[in-house]
Amino acid sequence: MRAAMALCAAAGLGCAALTALPASAAQDALTAQYRTSATGATADQSEPWLQVTNTGSASVPLNQVTLRYYFKSDGPSVSYRFACSWAVKGCANITGTFGTLAHPTATADRYLEIGFTSGAGSLAPGQSTGDMQLRFYRADWQTLTQSDDYSFGGSQTSYANWPKITVQDNGSVVFGTAPAGNDPTSPPTTPPTTPPTSGGGGDDPGAPALFDDFSYNSSSDAAISQHGWTVKSGQGGPGVAGATWAPGDITFAADGSNRVMDLKLTTDGTASGTRETELQTTARKFKNGTYAARVRFGDSPDSGPDGDHINQTFFTFTPLNAPMDPDYSEQDFEYLPNGGWGETQNIMYETSWETYNPDPWNAVNTHGQQYGSLNGWHDLQITIDNTNITYYIDGQVVATHGEPNLPETPQWIDFNHWLIDLTGQTSSTSRSYHEQVDYVVFVKDQVLTPAQVNSRVAGYRTAGTAFTDTVPNP
């Protein structure tokens, strides 16, 4: 009780109320740390990134912990949507729901309540949940105002205790101060969102599927087109205007008992001296299901200066036929080993697109991101059903996205390796970077776990199957 009283006093709470706390809450001490990655007075989406730290002496099950972020709505009829871009505990273990305050104030009439499933586990004394990269946005995708939000701190760009966010343990406040008269002692006005699924049931062996082990001789091998792939040539986006897509720079090399596809990017710091590579399915026939590939990212060139803003990818997409085309969609893994787009370090993006307008630029998308090197081999996986798009790296969920970003129409599967701009490294010395692909697999309408994907790939290889495609055209 002494620790709880001290915490209460520091947070400015009514200490007498602590006498009614449950026994577990009385000995628990939790704090919330906050930062934002959307600092503007207005924004496409609000991005409260949170951590919870156990400063007490007992382990606390996270499924009894909730947090509330308080904000002023943009109007009584405006609705909002919650999303988790990435979390150390896994987005599948984090829930978000919106509620309405009983006593609105000048800076708050709504709140976002964050909760945890049992899969989040417990916090031991001194332990933190780590990053929870959360966000919410208007359902109509109009710009929202956050400068008048109670819990918003535009200058808070690094984690620190934030008493304008409340932490509840078994329903009782143990940290932070709610807007006047709005202590969170009652449940949200809407039920918690259903946590995203992280895998499906059994792998149906009869489900239509594509598997390619990339056992080709060269980019001009007739089997490539016979198996439904198109090798890009000529010029055009994405990337630096004037760069060339070079089919001959896609090669297939032995790697142990397998062959792997090598997508080479070469540049001398000029557009005319830049050669990029891309391989895409010819047919648009992939939508819901499981997509997976084993990809080797390369941080550094063979020789010469490093630092170019290159983009190494695995993605699936539908074309944009007109600005803000509602049938456009895209799900990306994009690895930037030297940064780019304003980033200065290694970063991986998982981006789910609803649509966009190229000029003037207006994007309707959402993304997860992770900093740090991914040099070497990694298992990448995307599962899509009628509820969620879930991204995995090496068997771990790194991002989960829902509506409005689910695909509406069939898509292509694509790998490309391209140069974002010419500003990363301006040397005229030629240098080449490499992205390699061991295999790709797609299983239609099946949400598989990473273990099920690995089992399926092992089955193809044991059977000596280098290629199969039973996915019907739409």
Side-chain angles (χ1 to χ4, degrees), residues 372-395:
S373 173
L374 288 176
N375 189 64
W377 285 106
H378 296 279
D379 294 325
L380 309 181
Q381 180 173 326
I382 305 170
T383 61
I384 305 175
D385 57 21
N386 291 323
T387 304
N388 292 302
I389 305 165
T390 305
Y391 296 83
Y392 299 78
I393 298 178
D394 297 331

Side-chain angles (χ1 to χ4, degrees), residues 259-327:
R259 296 181 72 82
V260 299
M261 176 172 64
D262 188 285
L263 301 161
K264 182 170 71 172
L265 181 148
T266 300
T267 186
D268 62 2
T270 69
S272 60
T274 299
R275 300 195 309 273
E276 305 165 317
T277 45
E278 180 172 51
L279 184 80
Q280 177 185 304
T281 58
T282 304
R284 274 181 56 202
K285 59 179 184 178
F286 310 96
K287 187 171 178 270
N288 286 7
T290 297
Y291 304 77
R294 183 162 174 79
V295 178
R296 183 177 185 177
F297 298 115
D299 283 359
S300 304
D302 292 341
S303 62
D306 195 0
D308 295 286
H309 291 160
I310 61 174
N311 193 333
Q312 301 175 349
T313 75
F314 166 45
F315 65 106
T316 181
F317 78 108
T318 297
L320 184 79
N321 293 317
M324 304 305 285
D325 178 4
D327 288 335

Side-chain angles (χ1 to χ4, degrees), residues 72 100-110 179-180 182:
K72 179 77 170 178
T100 302
L101 293 180
H103 306 286
T105 71
T107 58
D109 55 14
R110 308 269 185 98
N182 291 284

Side-chain angles (χ1 to χ4, degrees), residues 210-230:
L210 163 72
F211 173 74
D212 200 329
D213 220 6
F214 295 116
S215 298
Y216 303 110
N217 295 315
S218 70
S219 63
S220 58
D221 191 328
I224 291 179
S225 60
Q226 292 167 4
H227 290 170
W229 295 102
T230 297

